[in-house]
Amino acid sequence: MTATALKGDLESLRARVRQLEETAVRQPLPTLPALTGLVELRPGAAYEVDSASLVLALLAGASRQGLWSSVVGLGDLGWEAATALGVDLGRTVVVPDPREHWLEVTAALIELAGVVALRPPGRAAARDAHRIAARLRSKGTALIVWGSWPMPEGRLSLSTPRWSGLGRGEGRLHTRSAVLTVRKGAGPERHAELLLSGDGTISRVVSDTRAPVGPVDEQVAV
Amino acid sequence: MKPRARTMVLWCPDWSVAAATVEAGLPADQPAAVLANNVVTVCNQAARADGVRRGMRRRDAQARCPELALLDHCAERDARCFEPVLVVVEQLCAQVAPLRPGLLAVASPAGYYGDDRAAAGVLVEHLATIGVLEVHCGCADDLFTAEQAARRAAAGDCLVVPPGGSPVFVSELPVEALDEPALVGLLRRLGIRTLGALAKLPARDVKARFGDYGARIHQLARGEDPSLLTARTPPPELTCQVRFEPPLESIEAVGFSVRRTAERFVAQLAARQQVCTRVHLEAEIDGRVVSGRTWTHVRWFSADDLVDRLRWQLAATAGLTTDPQREHGGVDAVRFVPEVVEAAGADGLWGGGAEEEVERGVARVQALLGYDQVVVPALQGGRSPGDRQAWIPWGERPSGLRPRGLPWPGSIPPPAPVLVLEQPWPAEVLDGSGTMAWVSDRGALSGEPARFRPRPDTAWQPVLAWAGPWPVEERWWENGSRKLTRFQVVGADGRAWLMLCDRGRWWTEAGYD
């Protein structure tokens, strides 16, 4: 073995050690394969979503990798669909009705690390959002809010859904295609067409179908 | 050679029936029978008087005795009810060997009580105090003879076979006493009617014909049962109790004061390398048990867990508050009764790590909202999407879930809805003529759905695609059952809903988002 090859190995090992030593805050949380490169859950950040499908898809990505997922204020999720996506129910904590204590409950469940999904009953005050954000950063937890949240890291929305399999009086719901729009701060919107098939899995059909003007750097994770 | 201690057998006849009638709260003189697989396995004297016999089919038994109480066979119940009997006998003599529920053997305590008959009298008397009235005793040199003597003794009496008298006593018994139906049939056909006749056969020949099994039977027939009593070790007392003098009035004080007891409870189990996974907590106020509840834990109870559970329970059931001004009696006593104790696993060795953090986080939420407000979702079998999932309070084990493996005809095919509404929304669906669509008793839809809104506060939208009606045939045999039909509806905005139609009323049950 040559010295250069050894040096290369050494470098890669060093890089790996650096990676492990970095605090969890730096490592993006795992997402579903269909969403990689498009959505990245940064630990310590809050994301706005607009549908239950997205909540479950984001939980599933983290839950598949053994992270805990907590759900606050969402008593109406379909857990069969969640399981089909890959959510591990054994590592899921749900508080269906936190009543007026939803902020305290969310703060407590952030301690579990992983991903916390929240449906706030109203709009959170900026001060509360800052307190939650501080906790998120210290624990490396990502917050997914179905609703609105002051200054989210990113906004994900699912639009123009089209169902196939259902006719007028016959057939049954089978597959859905929808366009996922990702907005991050003032950056350009990113689009991808997703196929949500009958067995509950999500696959990506076309990336950046209707990309806005200007080049979109594939490496920029949102 | 030191003579072997004589053996005394106590027999409670028809124990399964006696235990079942006591648990069911039936009068003792009611004809009753315990059935397994629709066949009578045990029946009591009143049922026998009406002609009910072992091995009889359910309908034959009912035909002979219409007022017969039919009880299910439950081996666990028999053993559980026999436990108090064992405890009473253990208080009076050493070396108690339970043979099966309803039958126990002891080394005869004749030396202490005078003679065998007196000893039996004492036992029968004490058993009567716990409500076991029909006890037959038998005493002999060996176990088999003693059991046969007990079966032939009068109720409450003791049949004593004198020392060395076993062979004579046994020789007069019919071969049916062996309770081995196959062998008894064969012996009868060989012309052997009594155990005495069997004992007279040369032991070598019996062994040659029946092997070791025959040799053992031959020994029994000679009145020389070689089996020794295997006395049980009385189970340890694991229940912990603490009394408060004067009674404590606030939950905080109780929680603080029971900590030592909770620690002792966990420690005594730990000393046996055991952990408790289900515990019954009881609190007494003014000498009455006012709060009793069983708690289960996914892993095991630590002292903190026990104290937490007790606080939640007191807050919920006993009407105690943290407010010291409120008028109520104080808590006199708290009892921790272990219900399920398991061997401690090895997973405690390296510490829980992340799991412990999760436990702490959840405990904080439980303290805020109540223990049942933190749940873990679980899937189960069912037809409607709502039936197919269940909430299990954090820390409890799932129980009573419907199996998912069954076909569940009528369930909605995948994809599963991402939104399953706990409270269905009242919906409206109009047909082409602008009137509410409805489904007739024969399952016909009044008109094609044209416009709908999934909940009253949303805007009307045209129906893009729909399927249905899918009839729901559930519990049609019950009174007040409704004829329901399901529809899948896609609106103009592309969102799909699962709707339920109860004749002319519509509900949104689930959403596909």
Side-chain angles (χ1 to χ4, degrees):
Chain A
M1 195 178 274
T2 61
T4 43
L6 261 179
K7 201 175 173 195
D9 279 356
L10 210 58
E11 275 308 308
S12 69
L13 281 173
R14 276 195 186 127
R16 185 144 173 68
V17 167
R18 267 200 302 280
Q19 200 180 2
L20 289 173
E21 280 176 346
E22 275 178 358
T23 51
V25 178
R26 295 283 184 80
Q27 298 270 345
L29 295 176
T31 47
L32 286 181
L35 304 179
T36 34
L38 189 69
V39 184
E40 191 173 75
L41 282 187
R42 214 166 51 72
Y47 296 84
E48 262 183 22
V49 299
D50 70 341
S51 75
S53 305
L54 280 176
V55 172
L56 292 182
L58 293 177
L59 287 182
S63 187
R64 274 186 177 189
Q65 303 296 322
L67 292 177
W68 278 83
S69 34
S70 329
V71 177
V72 183
L74 276 158
D76 290 337
L77 285 183
W79 291 102
E80 205 171 9
T83 316
L85 279 169
V87 175
D88 178 4
L89 298 191
R91 287 179 171 273
T92 306
V93 181
V94 184
V95 182
D97 181 20
R99 305 196 291 271
E100 70 276 14
H101 303 295
W102 60 275
L103 265 173
E104 290 93 320
V105 170
T106 309
L109 291 180
I110 284 171
E111 303 281 311
L112 272 59
V115 183
V116 179
L118 165 70
R119 177 150 212 191
R123 196 179 162 81
R127 187 169 49 91
D128 296 330
H130 277 302
R131 272 176 35 217
I132 293 279
R135 252 176 198 255
L136 285 173
R137 274 195 298 278
S138 72
K139 281 287 161 188
T141 308
L143 180 69
I144 301 164
V145 183
W146 184 7
S148 66
W149 192 253
M151 291 196 296
E153 173 92 5
R155 286 195 176 89
L156 282 72
S157 67
L158 218 48
S159 56
T160 57
R162 284 193 306 278
W163 278 97
S164 68
L166 200 64
R168 295 201 68 84
E170 84 278 321
R172 62 176 174 87
L173 293 177
H174 192 262
T175 314
R176 169 173 48 148
S177 70
V179 175
L180 172 67
T181 309
V182 182
R183 294 182 203 87
K184 187 191 175 194
E189 285 186 1
R190 292 162 59 85
H191 304 268
E193 191 171 345
L194 299 180
L195 197 68
L196 297 93
S197 57
D199 55 0
T201 54
I202 296 182
S203 52
R204 194 144 116 203
V205 192
V206 196
S207 291
D208 296 307
T209 41
R210 282 160 292 163
V213 258
V216 176
D217 186 0
E218 273 298 330
Q219 296 306 308
V220 176
V222 180
Chain B
M1 187 180 123
K2 188 174 165 238
R4 244 171 69 186
R6 284 166 60 78
T7 304
M8 182 180 284
V9 168
L10 272 72
W11 177 52
C12 307
D14 312 326
W15 181 255
S16 299
V17 178
T21 46
V22 166
E23 278 216 342
L26 299 173
D29 53 352
Q30 154 123 22
V34 169
L35 293 97
N37 299 327
N38 275 332
V39 167
V40 174
T41 52
V42 189
C43 57
N44 63 4
Q45 192 55 46
R48 263 194 298 276
D50 282 342
V52 179
R53 292 287 176 273
R54 254 170 88 171
M56 205 174 253
R57 288 190 310 159
R58 175 191 290 255
R59 62 172 68 166
D60 294 339
Q62 278 179 311
R64 301 228 178 154
C65 177
E67 66 272 24
L68 185 70
L70 300 170
L71 304 155
D72 281 329
H73 170 77
C74 174
E76 197 214 17
R77 175 186 59 209
D78 299 348
R80 190 172 58 232
C81 292
F82 200 51
E83 191 63 31
V85 175
L86 291 174
V87 170
V88 166
V89 176
E90 264 162 0
Q91 283 166 358
L92 297 169
C93 41
Q95 289 198 39
V96 179
L99 302 176
R100 59 175 171 270
L103 192 67
L104 69 89
V106 291
S108 173
Y112 183 77
Y113 292 106
D115 62 1
D116 291 324
R117 189 172 293 277
V122 171
L123 289 176
V124 168
E125 198 177 305
H126 276 83
L127 287 176
T129 59
I130 59 161
V132 181
L133 299 175
E134 212 184 344
V135 183
H136 304 242
C137 300
C139 192
D141 289 340
D142 64 315
L143 183 60
F144 176 72
T145 313
E147 185 186 335
Q148 295 307 321
R151 287 183 187 277
R152 277 153 189 82
D157 197 10
C158 182
L159 183 60
V160 179
V161 179
S166 293
V168 179
F169 178 79
V170 169
S171 68
E172 287 160 11
L173 300 177
V175 285
E176 278 76 10
L178 289 172
D179 202 19
E180 305 269 354
L183 180 72
V184 168
L186 180 58
L187 291 175
R188 286 245 156 222
R189 275 176 280 142
L190 290 171
I192 297 166
R193 304 273 149 91
T194 62
L195 292 179
L198 179 61
K200 276 192 201 123
L201 296 174
R204 213 182 51 203
D205 293 354
V206 174
K207 183 165 184 187
R209 174 67 178 79
F210 296 108
D212 287 342
Y213 171 70
R216 179 171 152 67
I217 297 291
H218 195 254
Q219 258 181 331
L220 295 183
R222 289 203 308 268
E224 298 168 3
D225 184 0
S227 53
L228 296 169
L229 291 187
T230 44
R232 72 163 192 167
T233 317
E237 182 57 56
L238 296 173
T239 304
C240 284
Q241 175 171 310
V242 58
R243 294 202 158 272
F244 304 123
E245 192 66 44
L248 299 178
E249 303 215 335
S250 82
I251 296 177
E252 298 305 324
V254 174
F256 188 72
S257 311
V258 298
R259 181 160 292 275
R260 287 282 299 279
T261 313
E263 278 164 6
R264 181 161 57 89
F265 177 81
V266 173
Q268 60 159 6
L269 284 170
R272 293 187 176 79
Q273 308 206 334
Q274 285 177 324
V275 287
C276 180
T277 55
R278 196 161 82 188
V279 68
H280 187 80
L281 300 186
E282 282 179 352
E284 280 182 14
I285 293 182
D286 300 333
R288 278 185 313 115
V289 176
V290 292
S291 170
R293 210 202 113 117
T294 300
W295 298 87
T296 35
H297 198 286
V298 255
R299 294 187 300 141
W300 62 82
F301 283 104
S302 67
D304 289 342
D305 294 333
L306 289 170
V307 175
D308 277 347
R309 302 298 187 278
L310 182 69
R311 291 160 60 121
W312 299 336
Q313 180 178 328
L314 289 177
T317 58
L320 285 186
T321 53
T322 42
D323 174 15
Q325 303 301 319
R326 259 195 58 184
E327 282 292 314
H328 50 66
V331 176
D332 307 317
V334 169
R335 209 168 296 124
F336 298 96
V337 184
E339 289 204 340
V340 176
V341 173
E342 291 174 15
D347 57 349
L349 193 55
W350 305 110
E355 308 283 317
E356 268 172 32
E357 211 158 84
V358 170
E359 291 273 336
R360 270 205 300 277
V362 170
R364 211 167 306 141
V365 181
Q366 281 178 324
L368 196 66
L369 297 174
Y371 87 98
D372 53 351
Q373 290 296 311
V374 183
V375 294
V376 174
L379 301 183
Q380 60 177 352
R383 293 188 173 83
S384 76
D387 283 349
R388 292 177 71 84
Q389 59 190 39
W391 297 129
I392 295 159
W394 173 270
E396 296 206 353
R397 293 181 186 195
S399 63
L401 295 182
R402 292 182 286 271
R404 277 172 64 74
L406 303 180
W408 295 109
S411 56
I412 307 297
V418 290
L419 213 56
V420 175
L421 303 172
E422 259 184 314
Q423 292 295 325
W425 298 333
E428 284 163 287
V429 178
L430 303 183
D431 58 18
S433 62
T435 53
M436 192 74 91
W438 58 281
V439 179
S440 72
D441 279 345
R442 309 217 39 160
L445 188 60
S446 63
E448 192 169 313
R451 287 195 305 145
F452 81 109
R453 52 180 181 187
R455 56 194 292 180
D457 53 359
T458 53
W460 288 96
Q461 54 176 319
V463 173
L464 208 63
W466 61 279
W470 298 333
V472 183
E473 296 271 340
E474 248 182 349
R475 302 212 178 99
W476 47 264
W477 57 88
E478 275 181 12
N479 260 343
S481 71
R482 298 176 303 169
K483 270 211 173 286
L484 304 175
T485 48
R486 287 213 171 84
F487 288 81
Q488 279 181 335
V489 178
V490 178
D493 62 355
R495 302 177 74 178
W497 303 97
L498 183 68
M499 298 191 146
L500 197 64
C501 177
D502 177 9
R503 289 206 177 82
R505 302 186 64 197
W506 290 77
W507 305 93
T508 305
E509 201 180 8
Y512 294 87
D513 211 333

